[in-house]
């Protein structure tokens, strides 16, 4: 897809990449989590799993506002 200039970072692509890099390393791979989690040793609460699609879309929209391709890639 990159060679054909058709690569885009959408949920489908992100989940495919996650399948490749986290295969048998995460509880589930290739999909957004389907439950709430906590991070041990912190008071931080990650977003509710029901809000992940919205959080993802907001993040992608913000990243697309970055004009410099190298900076945008680093931020991704």
């Amino acid at each position: 897809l990159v060679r054909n200039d058709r690569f885009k970072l959408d949920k489908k692509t992100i989940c495919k990449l996650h399948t490749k890099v986290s295969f048998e390393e995460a509880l589930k791979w290739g999909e957004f989590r389907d439950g709430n989690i906590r991070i041990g040793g912190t008071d931080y609460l990650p977003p509710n799993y029901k809000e992940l699609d919205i959080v993802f879309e907001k993040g992608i929209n913000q990243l697309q506002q970055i004009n410099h391709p190298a900076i945008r890639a680093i931020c991704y």
Side-chain angles (χ1 to χ4, degrees), residues 33-48:
R33 60 184 163 81
D34 59 1
N36 289 321
I37 60 170
R38 294 193 61 104
I39 299 175
T42 73
D43 292 329
Y44 173 74
L45 288 176
N48 185 295

Side-chain angles (χ1 to χ4, degrees), residues 1-8 13 16:
L1 292 174
V2 172
R3 286 186 206 131
N4 298 337
D5 231 7
R6 292 188 342 229
F7 183 83
K8 66 185 219 181
T13 303
K16 277 187 171 183

